[in-house]
Amino acid sequence: MQSNLVSFYVKFYHRFSTFLIITVRTPNNISSVFTHEYIFPHGRFWNHDAVPSHNKDLRTIKKWYLNGINYSKTFANWLQNFDDSQAIVKILDYGMDYAKFRRIWRFYLLWFVANFASCNGEYNGNGQYLMVHV
């Protein structure tokens, strides 16, 4: 499965010599039934070593870790923007009842505000990787 992640980046960025990947950083590979079903179908949260551990077609030349507190604040802002925009977003077609859509997305945003703030942001955060073609 991890090779699919690298294959995606190789195909997508084949025309660039250097690029930056920003990912959610977790200490292990995890998935969530909720996010899999409603937010990112067939998505996965990769551990922070997943990208640089596959230096076959792409090589990581530098990597950074950003504490999850900043990402928690980003989710809090997204939640506020979502709530503040109800007059606009409630009239759009989401392929489901709007009340259900709103509950799903509010739960996701609230969950990740807390998720990235847990352990003072040290457990989950953002991995950033500067990569070049091999």
Side-chain angles (χ1 to χ4, degrees):
M1 194 74 151
Q2 289 182 347
S3 63
N4 290 340
L5 176 69
V6 174
S7 296
F8 166 78
Y9 287 116
V10 169
K11 289 176 187 174
F12 188 73
Y13 292 107
H14 71 277
R15 63 185 179 271
F16 301 104
S17 59
T18 305
F19 56 92
L20 179 69
I21 296 176
I22 301 173
T23 67
V24 170
R25 177 236 187 223
T26 64
N28 50 27
N29 293 332
I30 62 171
S31 62
S32 159
V33 174
F34 175 80
T35 56
H36 172 78
E37 179 71 23
Y38 297 109
I39 308 299
F40 304 114
H42 306 287
R44 185 178 189 116
F45 302 100
W46 297 98
N47 76 33
H48 60 276
D49 291 326
V51 172
S53 70
H54 290 85
N55 282 331
K56 180 180 174 188
D57 299 305
L58 304 170
R59 184 169 51 88
T60 304
I61 57 174
K62 193 165 184 174
K63 65 181 182 175
W64 302 267
Y65 168 73
L66 296 176
N67 181 294
I69 292 295
N70 286 326
Y71 206 36
S72 175
K73 291 176 183 176
T74 298
F75 274 98
N77 287 329
W78 289 341
L79 175 61
Q80 186 64 54
N81 290 340
F82 182 69
D83 287 344
D84 290 348
S85 301
Q86 289 306 298
I88 298 168
V89 297
K90 72 181 181 182
I91 61 173
L92 301 174
D93 181 11
Y94 299 99
M96 68 174 71
D97 174 64
Y98 179 71
K100 179 179 179 180
F101 173 84
R102 186 170 189 268
R103 283 191 308 274
I104 288 169
W105 278 92
R106 286 198 92 253
F107 175 78
Y108 168 70
L109 294 167
L110 286 165
W111 173 26
F112 275 70
V113 167
N115 184 55
F116 284 96
S118 65
C119 299
N120 203 29
E122 289 301 321
Y123 193 72
N124 293 311
N126 291 106
Q128 298 189 3
Y129 310 91
L130 183 61
M131 305 184 80
V132 296
H133 289 281
V134 176

